[in-house]
Each structure stands twice: as structure tokens, then as C-alpha cells.
Amino acid sequence: MARCITATTFLVCSLFAGFSGGCASRVPTDEIRAAILSGEVDDLEKRLEETHEEYSEMVTALNLARVRQMDGRWADSARAFDEALAILEEYESRALVNIRALASGAGTFLLSRGAESYFGAGYERSLLHTFNALNYLMLGDIPGAAAEIRRMEQRQAFWLEESQARIEKILENKEKVYDSPEELPQGYSMREILSDEAVRGLVNNYQDAFSYALGAVLLRLAGDLQAAGVNMRRAMTLDDKAGRFFEQAWPAAAGGASLKRRDVPPLPGKRPDAVSPAGKRTRKRPDTQEVTIIGFTGLAPSLGVENVRIWVPVVGHILIDLPAYTQRAVPGSTLLASGPARKQIALHPLLRTDLLAYRTLWDSMRAEAGFAVSRAVSRAGIAAGAYLVAKSNSATRDYAEIIGSLTMLFLDLTAQSMSSSVRNWETLPNTGYLAGTRVPRGAEVTIASGGSEQRIILPEEAQGIIILATEMSAANLKVYHVTY
Amino acid sequence: MSRISLFSLIVLCVLLLAGCGRSTHIYADNKDVEVDSITHIQDGEFLVVSAVLVSSDNDDATHSVYRMLWFDADGLLLEQTSWRPVVVKGGAPVHIRERSTIPGAAEYTLLISNDAS
Amino acid sequence: MTLKHPAAALVALALFAMQLTACGGPRTGRVSGDGEVVYEDPQAEETVTTHWGSTDLQTTAESLTQSLLASRWIKDASAQPKIRLREVRNFTDEHIDTKGITDKIRIMLLRSGLVRFLADDANLDAVFAERDLTETATRRGANKLLADTDYIITGTVRSIRKRTKTVGDVYYQVSLELTDPQSGEIVWADEKEIRKLTTKPTIGW
């Protein structure tokens, strides 16, 4: 029997080594954050590429795309976004009842949260297109950027349809939701954050004013003023700060209609779509130039798994694994922008990925808690079953407790190693800003953050400039621009 | 030559000439889609063909593709269109109209295929 | 062994040359790798996805060109009209290379022999912008540029996409316009509509 115990122990350790070895090569959050904050992302990029080649996961493709984008490699970033989109579209084209979903669901219900494959939360799927639009913008491909914005709009419509069935169930009281975070388990670290008014006060968990406001800017450049107007009004509905951005970027003439009823102004000096008769006198070039500033600071929170002790009737105290943002958002330094004579240009924070992330978690909390309890109970049940089987056999009766404990240990270790695959798009910035103004032709614009500062002199012949500033740390500010 | 023989010879020549004429349509595979009628007009140096397609299947829509081949007076291929998708439902006629875009088209062939590959 | 007869020598030489060729490389003019790559008909119907594809580009360009060539402004013009082809603007949610559409239209119009094309790198916006900067200096030049043009072709591509759990539907509308730059009048317009449907299987991998 000693040989049996030794063999069992060896088997358990081998299996654990196998599982953990296979799951441990994803780049840890600490390394990702350290690389980004230091501004040295070359090694990080190589590691993400290796991970993506090994796993072909959407989350790695998204992180890789964002890291390349921070480094100014627009075309490479767009390619990684396309790969993430291809994975998502393949998932969306699967049969209604498909074997992979059944297997993943069974694994999530019985074994580990990590059995669920990642295909992005609603806000992440939408931001995939928003950030890819920036790649096309910086490459000078305005129609391409506009196409990505339209995809963002479509993605939101699809997510609403996907969530519609669940929303209806909740409204008909067929699905339970938590009324307040006080109902969450006591030891759960997310209780306080999820009770924040800023989180609960969001209109929903997938729409953000930044994407729509940026959409209005890009669609206007592409000449689609009607669609730009729709985006402008959506942005203002989601967030009052968007209204302040549009007042700043496109100020109305004195006595003009209120912002919500106003049309998006065409580009100054730009001919309307219809061809004008030859020889007709045209307007002179304006003395000012348009400046639009897009700014990003900080890093989104990182999703992991947290073990929480709860009490379940009949069973007693058990340990459940709940998803949690175990590493909170990095807020980042303050970003500042100024025009000629150091006149400040106000930056409006229209994107908060941490709030979207927390709200997404809150909306799914009830279901997550239910699955977590079922996983804990099923693991305990399997271990109890192993114990009873060993007990019923005369050869193993004396070792039944050890076998039961080893089974429980094996299942817990397996679940834990699979939990390392619970990730999110953690390289998203925490905050996104927009600003818009007009400056005298050929003026200088300064972007500053912490101890870093960069100045851009506007080219005289351009109609306008769009500046993309990413604050990676207090000492690391990356600024790019494109003119039109 | 007797009158009957002359008459037969004339009829034979007319039939032969008609057989050498312009309207030929080929079914690449099965006969789910039929050409109910096909006509053409000469518009300067270009040929315009109009055809009506119907399906013998009254239950399901038949997804087919068709293309036009245009030939010059010597019978050499002048141009060919891409394969165009067409959906024919039961007896409801589907009108198609094609116009050659290279001058000199004198003959044409309409190809219809129901092969979805 | 010696070859005494000249004919025999020639035959031997021919056989030797054939043997060299056989050893020298592929005789069929094809080199293939390990993968499953085959050439397909570039004009075949393509139904890989519902996204904008080669069939949509071909049928759209061909259909609109046929319609334009049949219009009286081209067909019945007393002289070959001089045309500038501006861009077809993309208002869809896909990255459609609209230059592919305009290139195909240009090739077909030129082959018809009914029109003459003027260089379209002098983008009208650039012409007008230049005129804005130095009105007196370039006015004559820019006006002459436009005065040489009989018609300008512009277009748009739009789409409507709908989706349920099992069905995906996308509708494309490609429209083209012929405009007289002297008067600003749109003299001809036509459109091509395409609809594609995809359905998900109920059970699968």
C-alpha cells in the first residue's frame, strides 16, 4: 500500500506539473505593468508575441495590439487588432449549440473559472474598434478610421442584442441580481469599489462617451456629417463632460441653437460634397488651425481570481473562487495641454476603463457567485466520492482519508492553475481625454505630464492637427501627431 | 432541280443560318433554372441581351450564377463578365439584362450554373 | 561504339538533350510546395463571408459601367467626353478599398473607346485649396483644368447590417453620379444593390 500512496502522490504531482507548466507561460500582470511604466516595451512585446503564437487567445492579441500602439507602430498594432477580431468573429459564428461552449460551460460550472474562454467584455469589444480607429488615423487613413468607428457602433448594437435576453429576464424577475454590494461575501475585496456611486451611476457597462466623441471627430473628417452628429449627441447623452468638449472644439456663433440641436460644422474651407461650378469665387484660407488632443493616462485594472470563504447551508464554510480585479487600476499622472502663450487647453476625461470594468463585474456578480458555489460544492463532492469509494474497498479502506484529501488537493491545485488564465485587456489606459480648440496658424502646442514635456509647432499649410499623447509614467510621455 | 427540292434547299439553308445565329445558352449543370426567353438588340457597336429566368422548383429558391460571353463577328472571345449571383424562386420570372462594353460584339453566350462551389 | 550515320547521331543527340532536360528540372512548368494551394477562377462567385468581396466589386463595377455607357451623355455624345474619376466614398463599417472599384470602372470605360480620361491625381479639393491660397495666380490655371473636363464621376458605398442569434444580413448600396462641373448639374446617376445572408447551424463544433 505504501507503493500505492507513493504512486498516487507521484501521479498528482505530475499532473499538477503538467497543468501548471502548460498554463504558466502567460506574461504575468506585474511584468506587463513594470514594462509599460518603464517605457521599455520591446521585451514585453516579444513575450506577448510568443504567448500569442502558443495560445492564439484574444486577450493576448489585444494586449499586443495596445503595446505596439503605445510604441507608435500603427500598422503592426492594426494587424494584432485584426487577429483579435478574427478570433472574436469565429466565436460569434459558431453553432447555437456547440461542443466547445458546452465543454467550457461544464468546466466553469464544475471545476474552475479559468475554464471559460475569454472573448472580451462588452466594453472591451467596443474599445477594440475605438483604439484600432486611432491606428488608421495616425496612418493618415481617415476612411479607415471612420470604418472602425462604424464597427464600434455595430459592436455596441450587437452587445445590446446579446444582453437583451438577460436584461428581459431580470426585468421579469426571472433572474436574480444583487441589490447592493452589502449582499456580497464579507471577505470579498471588491465590496467597497462596487458600491462606489461612480460605478453604479454609469448608464450601462459597455458604452463610453469617449468612443462616441472621438467618432464624431473622425466621421466629420471623413465628411459624414450626419453620422458625426449622431455620435456627438450619443456622447453628450452618456456624459455631460462630452458637451463641454464639443463646446470647446466646435463653438457655436453667438445666439446659435443649443448644443443638442446643433449640427456638426464642416471642416473650414472644405468644399461641400457636390461639385461647385468652375470659376466660382471661394473663401480665403482661415487664419486659425484646428487642434484636437487625444490623451491617455494610467492602466486598466487587472482581472484575476480571489478565494473567499462563505457559509453555505447544510455544507458549512467553503472556499469559493470569485473573479476580482486583484490589481487595481493605475491612475497615472495628470496630463496637461497648452497653446500659445501657455494658455491652458482643458482636457475632458471621457473614458474610464476601471469604472466600465467594475460595472461589468457588478452586473454579472450574481451569476459568478452562483457558479463559484457550484464549483466548490462539486469539488467537495468529487473528493467525498473518492473517499467513499476508497472506504468501500477493503484494500484501500485504511487509506480512504488520505485518498480523499489528495483528491481534494489535486482538484484545488488544478483549479488554481487554470485560474491564471483569467485575464482581461489590462493594457488599456485607465483614463482617456479629449480636447479641441483653434489656435493661430503655425502656433505651438505643448503637452506635459509629470516631468516630461513635448512641444509641437503646427505646419502652416495644414487645416488642423490631431495629437495623440500617452502617459506611460511620470517620466515617460509619448506624443505623436497627424495633420489634415 | 424540282420546286420541292429547291424549296427544301431554301428551308434547309434558312435553318442552317438560324443555327449559326446568336442565341445560345448552356446549362453548366442541372436544369433547375430555365431560360424562358432571350432576346437581343444591336446598339451601335454594342450588343444588349435580355433574358427571363424561371425555376422549375416551386418550393425553394434556387441560388444560381450566370455570366455572359461576348464574341466578335469572327467568333473570337471579346470579353466575359464575372459570375453574377441570381436567385430564382419558383415560377416568378427574373429578368436579367446585360450589355457588352467592348465595341464589336456580334455574338453572345449566356452560361448558367447552379453549382455553388 | 561509333555513330556512322548522321541521322543516328542526331537522334542520339536529341535523346541526350531530352535526358538532360529530364534531370534539369520540372517538365510541367509548375512548382508546388507542401500546402494545399490551387489557382481558382478570379471571376467565380465568392461566398466565403458576408463581408465585401471580389464578386461584389466585380458585379458592381460591371453593372454600373454598363449603365453609364448606355446613358445618352456617353453613348450619344458628339465627341468623346473627357472624364475625371473622383473617389467612391466608403460610408460602410468595412475597410473597402474603393480604389479597386474606380480602377475597374476606368479600365472598362477606356476599353469601350467612348470616353477619354483626364489624370485624376489633380484632386479637385487640392485644386480648390490652391486657388484659395493664391487666387489671382492660379485662377486661370485651375479654371482651365476644370474647363477641360466634361464630366466628373463620384460615388458612395453604404451598408446596413443586421444580426440575430442565428441570422446575419448585410445590404450594400453602391451609387455612382455623373456631374457636369461647368454647371454643377448631376446628369446621370445609378446604383447597384447587393444583399448577403448568413445563417448559423443549430449544432456544431
Side-chain angles (χ1 to χ4, degrees):
Chain A
M1 202 59 245
R3 282 186 303 205
C4 183
I5 294 170
T6 309
T8 308
T9 311
F10 175 74
L11 181 65
V12 165
C13 292
S14 305
L15 283 170
F16 170 67
F19 268 109
S20 57
C23 295
S25 58
R26 291 183 178 86
V27 185
T29 296
D30 290 337
E31 285 186 34
I32 291 176
R33 289 188 165 192
I36 291 173
L37 293 174
S38 72
E40 301 298 320
V41 296
D42 288 341
D43 283 340
L44 173 62
E45 197 186 322
K46 280 196 192 81
R47 289 203 59 195
L48 286 170
E49 278 170 3
E50 284 163 10
T51 311
H52 183 54
E53 270 175 37
E54 187 174 338
Y55 292 102
S56 289
E57 287 178 331
M58 186 178 169
V59 66
T60 320
L62 286 174
N63 284 322
L64 183 59
R66 180 62 191 141
V67 166
R68 285 173 174 170
Q69 187 175 71
M70 283 192 268
D71 209 25
R73 295 170 50 188
W74 319 115
D76 294 334
S77 173
R79 246 197 334 274
F81 275 125
D82 287 344
E83 285 173 27
L85 185 62
I87 294 169
L88 176 60
E89 288 184 336
E90 188 278 328
Y91 163 72
E92 289 178 328
S93 69
R94 290 181 191 172
L96 281 180
V97 178
N98 64 83
I99 295 168
R100 283 177 285 181
L102 289 174
S104 169
T108 309
F109 192 73
L110 296 173
L111 192 58
S112 169
R113 178 63 168 72
E116 184 178 319
S117 302
Y118 170 91
F119 290 105
Y123 76 94
E124 289 171 325
R125 294 183 189 185
S126 175
L127 288 175
L128 185 166
H129 296 296
T130 305
F131 277 80
N132 205 15
L134 292 175
N135 284 329
Y136 284 95
L137 170 68
M138 300 314 286
L139 286 168
D141 183 356
I142 300 297
E148 283 296 320
I149 291 298
R150 294 189 192 102
R151 282 179 163 182
M152 179 273 294
E153 293 169 339
Q154 275 291 345
R155 187 59 60 189
Q156 303 228 350
F158 292 159
W159 186 257
L160 181 61
E161 282 161 20
E162 216 167 302
S163 326
Q164 193 65 27
R166 191 169 161 261
I167 291 169
E168 280 167 4
K169 273 189 197 168
I170 291 165
L171 288 172
E172 290 166 14
N173 287 323
K174 286 182 186 166
E175 185 174 313
K176 295 240 180 273
V177 290
Y178 286 124
D179 292 320
S180 83
E182 275 74 46
E183 295 181 62
L184 292 169
Q186 282 292 332
Y188 187 42
S189 67
M190 299 296 298
R191 278 183 104 216
E192 198 180 315
I193 282 184
L194 294 182
S195 58
D196 190 338
E197 270 311 306
V199 174
R200 310 281 295 280
L202 288 179
V203 173
N204 53 51
N205 62 29
Y206 61 95
Q207 285 180 314
D208 67 278
F210 176 87
S211 294
Y212 283 114
L214 177 68
V217 169
L218 295 179
L219 288 167
R220 172 179 177 259
L221 282 183
D224 194 349
L225 297 183
Q226 193 179 23
V230 170
N231 275 263
M232 179 175 76
R233 284 181 278 279
R234 278 185 180 156
M236 291 194 295
T237 304
L238 285 168
D239 194 333
D240 293 336
K241 294 191 284 298
R244 293 201 276 277
F245 161 69
F246 287 116
E247 283 280 6
Q248 175 197 50
W250 304 329
S258 76
L259 190 62
K260 284 197 175 168
R261 286 197 296 274
R262 215 179 287 161
D263 290 331
V264 171
L267 287 175
K270 175 94 176 161
R271 304 207 69 80
D273 194 47
V275 176
S276 292
K280 193 172 177 184
R281 193 177 177 83
T282 56
R283 287 198 301 269
K284 286 180 68 175
R285 188 177 71 172
D287 298 326
T288 55
Q289 292 172 295
E290 295 184 333
V291 175
T292 308
I293 302 169
I294 304 165
F296 296 120
T297 60
L299 281 174
S302 289
L303 188 65
V305 168
E306 187 177 306
N307 292 314
V308 182
R309 196 176 159 85
I310 65 165
W311 185 83
V312 176
V314 176
V315 180
H317 280 105
I318 58 171
L319 211 60
I320 61 170
D321 53 343
L322 283 174
Y325 287 96
T326 48
Q327 300 223 33
R328 300 295 154 81
V330 176
S333 309
T334 308
L335 200 62
L336 297 167
S338 56
R342 294 283 176 169
K343 187 181 172 191
Q344 195 176 3
I345 303 170
L347 288 162
H348 307 280
L350 298 180
L351 173 69
R352 285 282 302 275
T353 56
D354 56 340
L355 298 182
L356 289 166
Y358 300 147
R359 176 59 186 268
T360 300
L361 182 61
W362 168 247
D363 286 344
S364 63
M365 207 60 240
R366 194 77 178 197
E368 292 283 2
F371 279 124
V373 168
S374 78
R375 282 195 290 272
V377 169
S378 74
R379 285 202 297 268
I382 293 170
Y387 167 80
L388 289 171
V389 165
K391 196 81 177 170
S392 66
N393 192 323
S394 58
T396 57
R397 186 173 295 135
D398 296 334
Y399 307 99
E401 279 189 23
I402 296 171
I403 288 169
S405 300
L406 283 174
T407 305
M408 191 70 193
L409 176 68
F410 167 69
L411 290 170
D412 282 346
L413 289 173
T414 306
Q416 206 164 15
S417 69
M418 287 174 76
S419 294
S420 68
S421 67
V422 175
R423 306 292 287 266
N424 66 323
W425 188 4
E426 56 199 315
T427 51
L428 273 172
N430 185 54
T431 311
Y433 300 86
L434 276 177
T437 188
R438 298 192 70 87
V439 298
R441 195 165 283 277
E444 183 181 272
V445 172
T446 307
I447 310 289
S449 169
S452 308
E453 183 180 279
Q454 289 200 33
R455 294 178 189 180
I456 301 154
I457 298 172
L458 275 64
E460 290 256 354
E461 67 278 6
Q463 212 164 65
I465 187 171
I466 298 182
I467 300 169
L468 176 59
T470 304
E471 178 260 358
M472 293 164 79
S473 68
N476 232 307
L477 177 68
K478 296 214 178 204
V479 179
Y480 304 95
H481 69 270
V482 66
T483 58
Y484 55 89
Chain B
M1 188 185 281
S2 69
R3 266 190 224 163
I4 291 171
S5 302
L6 182 61
F7 179 71
S8 303
L9 185 62
I10 291 167
V11 168
L12 182 63
C13 286
V14 169
L15 285 172
L16 279 171
L17 281 170
C20 293
R22 300 173 180 190
S23 55
T24 54
H25 35 262
I26 297 173
Y27 302 102
D29 38 68
N30 66 56
K31 289 191 189 294
D32 277 346
V33 172
E34 292 168 0
V35 179
D36 195 49
S37 67
I38 187 162
T39 57
H40 66 274
I41 59 165
Q42 191 80 38
D43 185 6
E45 287 193 86
F46 304 93
L47 210 51
V48 182
V49 170
S50 179
V52 178
L53 310 180
V54 291
S55 169
S56 55
D57 185 347
N58 279 322
D59 297 320
D60 296 318
T62 307
H63 292 260
S64 299
V65 289
Y66 75 91
R67 82 188 314 185
M68 291 296 300
L69 307 181
W70 304 102
F71 301 92
D72 63 14
D74 295 324
L76 297 174
L77 181 68
L78 206 56
E79 73 172 302
Q80 58 186 13
T81 67
S82 58
W83 284 102
R84 305 201 195 301
V86 65
V87 182
V88 190
K89 292 179 185 173
V94 173
H95 292 255
I96 59 172
R97 183 188 162 104
E98 295 288 335
R99 181 191 179 90
S100 63
T101 59
I102 294 181
E107 311 258 347
Y108 67 90
T109 297
L110 171 63
L111 299 182
I112 302 175
S113 171
N114 296 328
D115 187 350
S117 63
Chain C
M1 186 179 93
T2 57
L3 293 170
K4 289 182 182 173
H5 200 283
L10 277 172
V11 168
L13 191 64
L15 282 169
F16 178 65
M18 279 170 64
Q19 195 58 37
L20 275 178
T21 313
C23 297
R27 286 187 293 176
T28 57
R30 300 173 74 189
V31 176
S32 57
D34 297 327
E36 288 285 330
V37 179
V38 292
Y39 276 96
E40 259 299 347
D41 181 357
Q43 293 180 313
E45 184 195 39
E46 176 259 298
T47 52
V48 176
T49 69
T50 55
H51 292 308
W52 179 265
S54 58
T55 297
D56 306 318
L57 185 150
Q58 289 164 348
T59 55
T60 296
E62 289 167 6
S63 170
L64 290 172
T65 307
Q66 286 183 17
S67 174
L68 179 59
L69 289 175
S71 70
R72 61 187 177 90
W73 289 273
I74 305 296
K75 188 166 64 102
D76 299 333
S78 52
Q80 284 177 321
K82 296 190 219 54
I83 292 184
R84 283 186 193 278
L85 188 50
R86 285 184 73 183
E87 64 167 329
V88 170
R89 296 170 70 184
N90 175 19
F91 287 111
T92 73
D93 61 354
E94 291 185 47
H95 294 286
I96 296 175
D97 185 2
T98 55
K99 198 159 184 310
I101 302 175
T102 52
D103 284 351
K104 199 159 171 65
I105 291 174
R106 181 183 301 107
I107 289 167
M108 293 178 73
L109 288 175
L110 278 169
R111 284 193 329 191
S112 74
L114 295 182
V115 304
R116 290 167 60 185
F117 264 99
L118 301 176
D120 57 2
D121 53 350
N123 181 290
L124 274 183
D125 286 336
V127 168
F128 291 136
E130 198 181 303
R131 189 164 62 187
D132 288 347
L133 285 176
T134 53
E135 279 185 326
T136 51
T138 62
R139 181 184 297 169
R140 286 200 206 100
N143 285 355
K144 186 177 185 307
L145 209 61
L146 291 168
D148 278 352
T149 305
D150 292 318
Y151 300 112
I152 289 165
I153 298 176
T154 57
T156 58
V157 186
R158 297 179 192 272
S159 69
I160 299 174
R161 193 179 298 275
K162 290 285 180 89
R163 200 178 84 167
T164 65
K165 277 189 182 167
T166 51
V167 173
D169 178 281
V170 61
Y171 162 84
Y172 294 103
Q173 182 199 35
V174 185
S175 62
L176 217 59
E177 287 177 351
L178 193 69
T179 307
D180 180 350
Q182 315 307 321
S183 63
E185 183 190 354
I186 300 170
V187 297
W188 169 92
D190 202 353
E191 65 176 8
K192 171 72 181 168
E193 296 172 300
I194 295 166
R195 165 169 262 120
K196 294 163 129 179
L197 194 74
T198 184
T199 47
K200 271 199 227 181
T202 308
I203 298 174
W205 166 247

